Amino acid sequence: MDCLFCRIVSGKVPADLIAEGDRWIAFRDINPQAPTHVLIVPREHVESLSSLDESRAGLGGELLRAAAAVARMDGLEDGYRVVANTGADGGQSVPHLHLHVLGGRPMRWPPG
Ligand code: AMP
């Protein structure tokens, strides 16, 4: 399957990797929307949050813990935002589940 994030996971496409675990990697977004903009990506190909079924119990929690660890690493003591764009209306452009960790500036609500 020709998936960009699978290619980053396998090392075929370079990325600015900042942390990794058994089931995930974290790298800086190529088009950052905040001073910190990191993507947490499962090593396994999972299309979106909607595909996170019983067979992957625990993966969601691991990704969230990774997001919090990355926020600590980048010193985001004043807070941050974790986003999982899902599907067309959610604005998902890469069909491989990922969490965005955004911080280093105040976030607005509602998002666009
Ligand atoms: P989404 O729109 O939620 O699917 O997020 C996909 C994100 O991947 C966007 O923020 C892109 O800027 C980012 N992105 C696309 N290609 C790369 C790449 N080669 N390395 C790092 N981030 C990327």
Side-chain angles (χ1 to χ4, degrees):
M1 183 198 309
D2 192 27
C3 166
L4 172 62
F5 287 175
C6 285
R7 290 165 68 81
I8 289 178
V9 166
S10 68
K12 289 183 189 131
V13 169
D16 185 2
L17 198 73
I18 60 163
E20 59 185 319
D22 287 348
R23 298 181 79 182
W24 55 271
I25 63 171
F27 54 90
R28 297 206 186 271
D29 197 291
I30 205 167
N31 182 23
Q33 302 300 311
T36 287
H37 188 169
V38 172
L39 301 176
I40 313 290
V41 173
R43 293 182 186 277
E44 176 191 1
H45 183 84
V46 177
E47 192 158 309
S48 78
L49 197 61
S50 300
S51 319
L52 211 54
D53 57 13
E54 288 291 316
S55 69
R56 294 173 177 114
L59 180 59
E62 286 193 42
L63 298 179
L64 284 172
R65 281 199 303 138
V70 160
R72 269 194 303 278
M73 265 178 53
D74 261 19
L76 303 179
E77 293 94 358
D78 292 336
Y80 53 93
R81 183 170 291 174
V82 178
V83 174
N85 294 327
T86 304
D89 275 5
Q92 182 175 5
S93 63
V94 178
H96 181 133
L97 173 63
H98 50 283
L99 301 182
H100 297 254
V101 182
L102 296 145
R105 66 166 172 83
M107 298 290 150
R108 288 180 296 277
W109 194 262

